[in-house]
Amino acid sequence: MGALERMFDVRGLCVIVTGGASGIGRAYAEIMAERGARVTIFDLDPDGLQRTVEAIRAAGGDVEGEVVDVGDRPAMAAAFDRVAERVGAIDVVFANAGIDAGPGFMAPDGTRNPAGAIDTLPYEHWDKVIEINLTSVYTTIKNAARHMKPKGRGRIIVTSSIASLINESIVGTPYMPAKAGVNHLVRQMAMELGAYGILVNAILPGPFITNIAGGRLRNPEDRRAFEAMSLIGRIGDPEDIKGLALYLASPASSYVTGSQIVIDGGALLRMT
């Protein structure tokens, strides 16, 4: 094995991906399995999970699936324990599960959207977005840490968003504070867990074609609005994120922790 291959070698590592049945999470699972890792996908969608597991196995990957609600704390703890019992260690965790916050207070055509206004936004909607997009990341990191600390090593990679760094009018209001909280949690956990050999980083995607938008980016009007943000004229595809995921999971990033790495086709530059 050459130096470059050793640098990106993840063979035999035990990897957990939350929300891995589709989109960016599926891309994480695919690249890890393709490179020889032993992957377990947590997802709430049993049908999507089965399809993804079968596809990765058909390509020769070592993958298992667990139907888990990341908002269910006892279920998450039990699922982590089952994976550890089966494989003996947990080396890499992608805290990826998340949900869309719906349309914001402005529509893509520049008109006001009353349904997204703060005074009409249901409390239940706020609570659900914060629970899944922020609190479940805490739950995932907590379970990863209790398995990694005794081993003295590990990687935790969290999917955040460029929405954590800016304010967006066409994205539901709860999404920005949830993702900003994720960034801060990543930095805090990097400070706490570095002494145990655990590296914690965040990936900040811009607009990507995934299920999290509930199909919004397949709508021509919405798609054009997000394409206009990109400096290269297109929305991201989950394939675009595989290289960064492999980098953060592999020895190539052994001196990287507490970072928030943007992958957005330059959208953030245009927005700011």
Side-chain angles (χ1 to χ4, degrees), residues 47-66:
D47 295 333
L49 181 61
Q50 182 177 353
R51 288 192 297 270
T52 296
V53 167
E54 289 175 353
I56 292 174
R57 284 178 180 165
D62 183 343
V63 62
E64 300 290 339
E66 293 257 5

Side-chain angles (χ1 to χ4, degrees), residues 15-268:
V15 178
I16 291 175
V17 183
T18 70
S22 63
I24 287 173
R26 176 168 175 163
Y28 294 154
E30 287 174 344
I31 189 61
M32 292 296 108
E34 178 185 323
R35 300 293 296 182
R38 304 172 67 186
V39 178
T40 301
I41 299 171
F42 293 176
D43 205 284
L44 189 58
D45 174 13
D47 295 333
L49 181 61
Q50 182 177 353
R51 288 192 297 270
T52 296
V53 167
E54 289 175 353
I56 292 174
R57 284 178 180 165
D62 183 343
V63 62
E64 300 290 339
E66 293 257 5
V67 178
V68 185
D69 180 355
V70 294
D72 185 333
R73 294 175 181 176
M76 282 285 283
F80 267 82
D81 290 345
R82 285 194 297 271
V83 174
E85 183 177 358
R86 186 174 72 245
V87 301
I90 296 173
D91 301 296
V92 180
V93 171
F94 287 90
N96 169 75
I99 60 173
D100 180 35
F105 63 87
M106 297 291 287
D109 64 4
T111 60
R112 289 271 172 175
N113 173 34
I118 190 64
D119 50 315
T120 59
L121 190 73
Y123 287 115
E124 296 79 11
H125 181 67
W126 171 275
D127 291 342
K128 189 66 174 179
V129 173
I130 297 299
E131 176 192 7
I132 301 302
N133 289 2
L134 177 56
T135 304
S136 81
V137 174
Y138 155 79
T139 303
T140 303
I141 294 174
K142 182 182 185 72
N143 284 291
R146 69 184 177 86
H147 282 282
M148 292 175 176
K149 283 171 70 173
K151 304 289 185 181
R153 67 180 188 276
R155 304 291 178 91
I156 300 171
I157 302 153
V158 180
T159 304
S160 181
S161 169
I162 61 169
S164 64
L165 304 176
I166 57 174
N167 297 97
E168 294 191 52
S169 60
I170 64 174
V171 175
T173 293
Y175 196 76
M176 276 67 72
K179 291 299 186 178
V182 164
N183 286 6
H184 205 74
L185 181 60
V186 163
R187 294 190 293 268
Q188 184 74 12
M189 292 299 96
M191 290 175 61
E192 178 178 344
L193 298 176
Y196 301 95
I198 302 169
L199 308 183
V200 188
N201 292 288
I203 293 175
L204 279 59
F208 271 71
I209 293 289
T210 71
N211 288 344
I212 193 172
R216 285 184 68 198
L217 295 186
R218 294 180 177 87
N219 176 287
E221 185 176 282
D222 286 332
R223 183 171 184 135
R224 283 193 296 271
F226 281 99
E227 284 175 340
M229 300 175 187
S230 171
L231 297 184
I232 57 178
R234 68 176 179 87
I235 295 173
D237 185 276
E239 288 290 319
D240 293 320
I241 215 161
K242 288 184 175 181
L244 179 54
L246 178 61
Y247 167 71
L248 289 174
S250 70
S253 61
S254 62
Y255 199 56
V256 179
T257 195
S259 292
Q260 296 92 51
I261 302 178
V262 171
I263 177 167
D264 70 343
L268 189 62

